[in-house]
Amino acid sequence: GCPLFIECVARWALAKNMIEFVEGTKKVNLKLLDERSDDVTAAIPRELSNILLAPFNKLSPPLWDVLKIASCIGYSFDADLYSTLNKVLEFMPKVRELSAKYDCFEQTGSHFRWKQQAVYEAVKSLLMVNQRQKIHKMIVRAFEQSKINSHIDDIKGGDVRRLLGRHCALAEDWAGACEQYMRAGDRAKAMFNFNEASKMYEEAIDFQAKMSEQPSLRSRMIPTINLGTCLRELARYKEAEAVLTRCLNETKGECAEIALDEELFVRALTALAALYQAQSKYDAARRLFERAVPIARNIQESRSSLWLAENIAGYAETLRKSGDLPQAERHHREALEIRTRAVEEKSCTDLELAVSYTQLGCTLAGMRQYKEAYEQHHNALGLRYRYLDFSHGLVSESLNYCAESLCALGRGGEGIPLALHAVQIRRLIFGTSHPAYAHALSVLASCYHAVNRYFDACDCLEKCLEICEVAFQKNHANIIPNLMNYGNVLR
């Protein structure tokens, strides 16, 4: 009854003259192999795999090994990702030989796929559990011993980390699987692919639970904090709050029994504070930052610590959004000074300055110092354009703020092309239901409004409000200015 095997079985039976097609009907009859008996079961193989694998009976042992390894890798695989196996096994040359001589695989570019899923399943069924584990361990070892490991994140968009994590898991190397999925999550997070990153961190947390020895508190909490951060970026606020609150409570609980891991405690505090800030719970966010920042200052002796700058800037953003703009400016300028020292000491590139330029620009805009705000955003855009791909999420952020500043300076027409690019990039990165996309639409609407393109502005704001009403709770701070702008356009 399984359609995957019907064609293979029918072809085999026809070749053995065991069945015949009845002309004029849609029936196939089973022919009697022995006229004296109607028992044909003895002629039929006990296992279907014997039928499917019969063409490969004369394969050399090295080719059989490659066939088995390919079945462990999966139904499809990329030649570039598994090129590291060539040195030990000549894996891909043998895959191509199997494809050319035995019609096992079909190829599209560097991508290979088993030609018949039934054959793939049959080969896989030959392997015992311990044999499969040994093969997966061998694949992991080949990756670790190869030179590819030094630039692994640059290959195929970092897919190697995720695949290597899968092989570690199938080899029951839970610690290795956790590490690889963590790194895959970190890379996806850096690329603003928060949906993929959250999945990777969830996998890492699941594998930690399978370890025979419980990992340290820090090892357990870091993927949990990162998961909560990704859920926040995806506007899944309730899930993020549950994850981060549990994380903070667990950190406090365990640190009460042992020496406090102050850096971890600060990370847990600031992650939850950033979530409260995103939900417009500024008082709660401020209280958490006011606990975290003094600890961060106390434990970080270096005057060029990017980690300290990040915590000070996070506090400053909460101050800005809660309306305390002078204090926000003071803290953002302090964070900029720390990052500037780090650049001078060559502990980071000047791309790091773009973060402070952006945050300081937003603060100055709130203080109606639009000219300097535009200069700060323009500096950030220049750095990001130099170091990053044009379609990167951080480039779209700077385009967005430059357009907003130009609009405030009465140069809305100049802001339109920048805002259009920002909308397009954010649509590709975040999708059409994310608050970041809504913000880009809002800025574009302001630019349209400035040049009297009222209908275009109205369309943008209606889409923006539809997104905000789903993503945020009623009377959220991000909805109010968009409602006011919509009212101005309608007027």
Side-chain angles (χ1 to χ4, degrees):
C2 179
L4 290 175
F5 301 116
I6 290 173
E7 182 182 357
C8 294
V9 173
R11 287 186 183 281
W12 175 84
L14 279 169
K16 295 288 186 181
N17 202 30
M18 292 178 66
I19 60 174
E20 63 180 357
F21 180 66
V22 180
E23 293 292 338
T25 72
K26 293 184 179 180
K27 294 180 180 179
V28 174
N29 285 342
L30 184 65
K31 293 174 67 176
L32 298 180
L33 301 184
D34 188 338
E35 294 181 356
R36 294 168 296 176
S37 171
D38 59 357
D39 183 10
V40 295
T41 55
I44 300 175
R46 293 181 63 83
E47 294 184 5
L48 191 58
S49 60
N50 293 346
I51 300 172
L52 299 170
L53 300 178
F56 310 117
N57 286 338
K58 296 182 180 180
L59 280 184
S60 63
L63 287 177
W64 257 117
D65 288 343
V66 167
L67 209 60
K68 291 174 182 177
I69 291 168
S71 75
C72 285
I73 289 173
Y75 179 59
S76 62
F77 51 91
D78 194 297
D80 294 340
L81 293 177
Y82 289 96
S83 60
T84 187
L85 300 178
N86 293 345
K87 185 176 180 181
V88 180
L89 300 165
E90 293 187 357
F91 179 69
M92 288 315 305
K94 285 186 169 64
V95 165
R96 291 185 174 92
E97 183 181 346
L98 286 165
S99 183
K101 292 182 179 179
Y102 298 94
D103 206 25
C104 294
F105 305 100
E106 54 188 15
Q107 181 181 0
T108 306
S110 65
H111 196 79
F112 283 80
R113 185 176 67 177
W114 288 78
K115 197 152 190 179
Q116 296 185 49
Q117 186 164 344
V119 174
Y120 159 66
E121 297 285 355
V123 174
K124 194 165 70 169
S125 71
L126 296 177
L127 298 172
M128 304 292 287
V129 173
N130 63 332
Q131 290 176 305
R132 284 198 289 270
Q133 286 180 0
K134 286 181 181 178
I135 289 173
H136 288 295
K137 285 178 182 176
M138 180 272 297
I139 293 172
V140 172
R141 201 160 48 245
F143 273 102
E144 290 173 346
Q145 293 172 354
S146 71
K147 293 180 181 178
I148 203 173
N149 206 40
S150 60
H151 59 280
I152 195 170
D153 289 324
D154 299 327
I155 302 168
K156 295 287 181 179
D159 283 346
V160 179
R161 290 288 183 198
R162 179 171 47 79
L163 290 173
L164 194 51
R166 172 179 170 269
H167 289 301
C168 287
L170 291 168
E172 296 191 1
D173 176 8
W174 309 123
C178 178
E179 179 186 356
Q180 295 301 332
Y181 276 107
M182 273 292 295
R183 292 189 182 186
D186 291 344
R187 191 181 191 284
K189 182 166 167 274
M191 298 300 293
F192 287 77
N193 190 349
F194 297 111
N195 193 44
E196 176 72 9
S198 65
K199 292 176 184 176
M200 296 299 99
Y201 291 133
E202 284 173 343
E203 291 282 2
I205 293 166
D206 288 343
F207 291 129
Q208 281 185 340
K210 295 181 179 182
M211 293 182 193
S212 55
E213 294 184 10
Q214 189 180 44
S216 66
L217 176 64
R218 173 177 285 268
S219 297
R220 295 200 315 275
M221 291 300 103
I222 295 301
T224 307
I225 292 171
N226 290 349
L227 172 60
T229 300
C230 290
L231 293 172
R232 184 198 78 215
E233 292 288 353
L234 292 167
R236 292 161 59 181
Y237 297 132
K238 289 183 179 179
E239 296 171 71
E241 186 167 358
V243 168
L244 293 173
T245 302
R246 186 175 68 249
C247 180
L248 180 58
N249 291 337
E250 190 171 344
T251 302
K252 287 193 294 186
E254 291 211 14
C255 287
E257 301 173 6
I258 57 176
L260 178 66
D261 185 338
E262 291 182 318
E263 186 178 338
L264 180 64
F265 186 52
V266 168
R267 290 189 67 165
L269 284 169
T270 54
L272 186 57
L275 172 64
Y276 286 152
Q277 178 188 297
Q279 294 174 294
S280 298
K281 299 177 181 178
Y282 299 125
D283 289 340
R286 189 167 180 167
R287 285 195 296 272
L288 290 175
F289 272 121
E290 286 171 353
R291 291 173 64 190
V293 172
I295 300 173
R297 290 185 189 278
N298 186 50
I299 65 176
Q300 192 56 252
E301 296 179 357
S302 171
R303 296 178 68 244
S304 59
S305 165
L306 295 177
W307 179 74
L308 177 58
E310 182 183 342
N311 284 298
I312 292 171
Y315 178 43
E317 281 295 277
T318 295
L319 292 171
R320 174 177 74 85
K321 294 189 176 184
S322 63
D324 193 347
L325 296 175
Q327 285 295 318
E329 182 189 6
R330 184 172 70 83
H331 282 84
H332 274 314
R333 290 195 186 278
E334 181 187 358
L336 178 57
E337 288 174 7
I338 294 171
R339 287 180 167 126
T340 302
R341 282 195 292 270
V343 171
E344 290 170 352
E345 294 172 8
K346 297 184 178 179
S347 59
C348 67
T349 68
D350 50 358
L351 177 62
E352 189 68 34
L353 298 176
V355 179
S356 281
Y357 289 147
T358 300
Q359 293 171 337
L360 182 56
C362 291
T363 304
L364 293 168
M367 300 170 76
R368 299 182 180 277
Q369 298 178 28
Y370 298 121
K371 185 178 179 181
E372 189 183 351
Y374 174 67
E375 289 171 359
Q376 298 289 346
H377 289 309
H378 193 268
N379 288 339
L381 178 60
L383 288 171
R384 287 169 172 174
Y385 184 73
R386 187 197 314 167
Y387 284 97
L388 305 172
D389 186 82
F390 185 71
S391 60
H392 196 282
L394 291 175
V395 174
S396 77
E397 180 182 67
S398 291
L399 287 168
N400 213 37
Y401 285 128
C402 280
E404 191 172 44
S405 297
L406 285 168
C407 192
L409 289 168
R411 297 158 59 185
E414 296 174 55
I416 288 174
L418 304 182
L420 283 169
H421 281 302
V423 167
Q424 184 177 8
I425 295 168
R426 290 192 168 190
R427 183 194 296 121
L428 291 172
I429 293 175
F430 297 104
T432 56
S433 59
H434 195 278
Y437 177 63
H439 183 226
L441 288 171
S442 175
V443 172
L444 179 58
S446 296
C447 293
Y448 280 147
H449 189 203
V451 295
N452 302 324
R453 291 173 60 175
Y454 302 115
F455 289 107
D456 290 330
C458 193
D459 287 343
C460 289
L461 284 168
E462 285 173 356
K463 292 176 185 174
C464 169
L465 288 168
E466 284 177 11
I467 298 167
C468 291
E469 285 169 1
V470 173
F472 302 119
Q473 71 267 26
K474 191 175 181 181
N475 296 327
H476 189 279
N478 288 358
I479 298 178
I480 295 168
N482 290 318
L483 286 169
M484 293 172 67
N485 289 341
Y486 187 45
N488 289 335
V489 171
L490 292 174
R491 188 175 60 186

